[in-house]
Amino acid sequence: MVHIAVCAPSRPLPRADADRLAALVADYPQLSLQLHEQCFAEDGHMAGTDEARVAAFVECANDPAVDVVWFARGGYGAGRMAEDAVARLGPAARTKQYCGYSDGGTLLAALYRADIGQPVHAPMPSDLAREQGERAVRRTLEWLAGKREGLEPSLADAGVPVVAFNLMTLAMVQGTPLMPDLAGHVVMVEEVAEYAYAVDRLLFHVVPALAAMGAAGLRLGRVTQVPENDRPFPHTPEAMARHWCARAGLPYLGAADIGHDADNRIVPFGLAGCARGQ
C-alpha cells in the first residue's frame, strides 16, 4: 500500500476538489489518501500562514507512515516557506516522493538541492478544475500505483539527469539558497499566462545561468494562455528558446510534453523514471 499525504504549500484546495480526489483514489486499491486539514485553511491568497504551511508540510514529510507528499495546488506561496520547511526535515523525509509542479517547483528545487527524497514534476489535485483535468490527476495516481505510461516521452532517451520547472518559478529560484546544481541536467521548462515578451525576458535570464552552471540542455514545454499585448511579439516561444540557447551555448533539445494543462506529463527529477538510489 502506498500512503499519500496531501498538503498545500501555496494556495488552498477547494473541498469539492478534495471530495472528487478521494473518489478517484478509491479506484486504486494499492493507494491510500490522507488530506491534511491545512489544505483548506485560508490566509488571504495562501493556504494558511507561512508557519501553518511549514508545519503541515513537515508533519507529512516526517511521518514514517507516509510514502508520498502531494502538493494540493500551485499559486504563489511555496517560496515563503520552502527554506524553513526543508531545514526541519528528518530521516523519514528522505524516503518519500514529493509530487507537484508550478509554484510547487520551489519546494521541489529545495528538496533536490538538499538531496531529500524523490522530487517529481506531476499533476496535482487542483488540476481537477481544468478541462479534462481528471485525466491529468489519474496520470499521477497511476504513476504512484507503479505505472510508467505517464512519463514525459523524451525521458526514455535522456541518459542524463532531468528536471522540470515552470519557467517563472525557475527564474525566481535562481540565485537563492533553494537553487540546486543542475550541471549535466536536461532542464525542461513550461509557462502559463505570461505575455510573450515576458517569456522572452525569462529565457534571457534563465538560459545563460543554466549554461554557466553546465546544464546539458533545454527542452521547452507548452507556453499557454498568453495574454494579447498591444503590439504582437514577433517571435514564437520555440524561436525565443532557440535564440537564447544559441547565444549562451546551451543545447536546445526540442519540445517537452509538460505544461499547465491536462496533458502535463510526469518528470521524476534525476535519472529518468528512477527514484534516486535505485
Side-chain angles (χ1 to χ4, degrees), residues 48-103:
T49 64
D50 293 347
E51 178 54 35
R53 298 195 319 283
V54 168
F57 173 79
V58 170
E59 180 183 338
C60 294
N62 282 344
D63 185 345
V66 170
D67 301 299
V68 178
V69 179
W70 198 5
F71 308 153
R73 188 175 181 180
Y76 180 69
R80 293 183 57 94
M81 52 75 72
E83 187 173 5
D84 290 343
V86 171
R88 299 187 196 177
L89 298 183
R94 297 185 175 275
T95 65
K96 294 174 172 53
Q97 292 189 67
Y98 298 88
C99 297
Y101 74 106
S102 192
D103 188 63

Side-chain angles (χ1 to χ4, degrees), residues 26-243:
D27 292 339
Y28 301 87
Q30 61 273 67
L31 305 179
S32 70
L33 179 73
Q34 63 185 63
L35 285 132
H36 198 290
E37 189 62 25
Q38 175 269 332
C39 290
F40 313 112
E42 296 187 20
D43 184 36
H45 173 89
M46 289 173 280
T49 64
D50 293 347
E51 178 54 35
R53 298 195 319 283
V54 168
F57 173 79
V58 170
E59 180 183 338
C60 294
N62 282 344
D63 185 345
V66 170
D67 301 299
V68 178
V69 179
W70 198 5
F71 308 153
R73 188 175 181 180
Y76 180 69
R80 293 183 57 94
M81 52 75 72
E83 187 173 5
D84 290 343
V86 171
R88 299 187 196 177
L89 298 183
R94 297 185 175 275
T95 65
K96 294 174 172 53
Q97 292 189 67
Y98 298 88
C99 297
Y101 74 106
S102 192
D103 188 63
T106 307
L107 255 178
L108 298 182
L111 291 161
Y112 198 57
R113 176 186 173 112
D115 195 23
I116 295 174
Q118 172 69 69
V120 182
H121 167 103
M124 298 178 290
S126 62
D127 283 308
L128 286 169
R130 297 188 186 281
E131 184 177 356
Q132 299 185 27
E134 179 179 320
R135 181 158 52 90
V137 174
R138 285 190 182 276
R139 190 173 301 120
T140 299
L141 293 173
E142 288 165 5
W143 160 262
L144 296 176
K147 297 184 178 180
R148 296 296 177 261
E149 290 81 358
L151 287 170
E152 202 284 330
S154 70
L155 297 181
D157 302 317
V160 297
V162 176
V163 294
F165 291 103
N166 171 260
L167 182 57
M168 176 66 81
T169 300
L170 180 58
M172 295 300 100
V173 169
Q174 283 183 346
T176 74
L178 308 182
M179 182 67 186
D181 181 1
L182 299 181
H185 286 64
V186 171
V187 181
M188 301 182 185
V189 295
E190 53 80 26
E191 192 49 82
V192 64
E194 294 288 346
Y195 285 101
Y197 70 80
V199 175
D200 193 65
R201 179 188 289 153
L202 289 167
L203 290 166
F204 150 77
H205 174 69
V206 166
V207 170
L210 293 176
M213 189 177 284
L218 183 82
R219 285 190 177 274
L220 182 66
R222 286 177 289 281
V223 177
T224 56
Q225 301 178 38
V226 179
E228 184 176 349
N229 196 24
D230 59 346
R231 288 176 175 269
F233 196 72
H235 306 294
T236 65
E238 181 181 4
M240 300 175 210
R242 289 184 179 276
H243 171 82

